[in-house]
């Protein structure tokens, strides 16, 4: 399966808009510090990153449980910019942000990461 950055971006945005403005990741699903879980043992997605991967057709075996979002997405073939934005979105989610805000943070961080990549390329 080839990772599709644009599909992931659109899926995160859709999840943020459709789960409800008051939804946030339940405290009981959080692991220890920097320990991330994307799917339940039943295969059902847990966090916003896991839910996006699930909607894209990925399975629990595709995500490395316990690894950060940027590590998982890099392994799957995401661009550096999407991986960086996903890491920041995951961090916001784990800090208790509402998913509608997590999706916005993802979009903002993606813009910053892409802008930084353009600047590096222009000065290279």
């Amino acid at each position: 399966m080839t990772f599709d950055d644009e599909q992931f971006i659109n899926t995160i945005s859709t999840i943020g808009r459709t789960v409800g403005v008051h939804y946030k990741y339940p405290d009981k699903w959080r692991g220890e510090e920097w320990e991330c879980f994307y799917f339940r043992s039943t295969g059902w997605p847990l966090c916003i990153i896991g839910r996006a991967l699930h909607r894209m057709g990925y399975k629990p075996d595709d995500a490395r449980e316990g690894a950060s979002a940027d590590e998982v997405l890099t392994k799957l073939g995401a661009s550096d910019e999407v991986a960086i934005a996903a890491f920041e979105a995951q961090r916001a989610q784990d800090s208790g942000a509402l998913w509608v805000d997590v999706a916005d943070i993802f979009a903002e961080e993606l813009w910053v990461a892409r802008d930084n990549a353009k600047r590096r390329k222009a000065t290279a």
Side-chain angles (χ1 to χ4, degrees), residues 46-94:
L46 285 169
C47 68
I48 195 167
I49 303 299
R51 196 172 291 195
L53 293 174
H54 182 260
R55 287 187 181 185
M56 292 173 66
Y58 288 96
K59 306 290 181 220
D61 290 343
D62 298 319
R64 200 171 93 224
E65 298 296 343
S68 64
D70 58 322
E71 292 174 300
V72 170
L73 294 184
T74 297
K75 175 188 142 206
L76 295 176
S79 68
D80 290 344
E81 295 82 14
V82 167
I84 290 166
F87 175 81
E88 295 300 333
Q90 182 182 56
R91 197 160 68 164
Q93 169 198 267
D94 291 348

Side-chain angles (χ1 to χ4, degrees), residues 4 9 15 34 37 56 67 72 92:
D4 184 333
I9 293 163
I15 292 168
W34 302 113
F37 297 98
M56 292 173 66
V72 170

Side-chain angles (χ1 to χ4, degrees), residues 81 110-120:
E81 295 82 14
L110 179 63
W111 184 88
V112 169
R114 285 180 168 173
D115 188 58
N116 287 339
K118 285 179 193 173
R119 290 173 191 257
R120 282 192 304 275

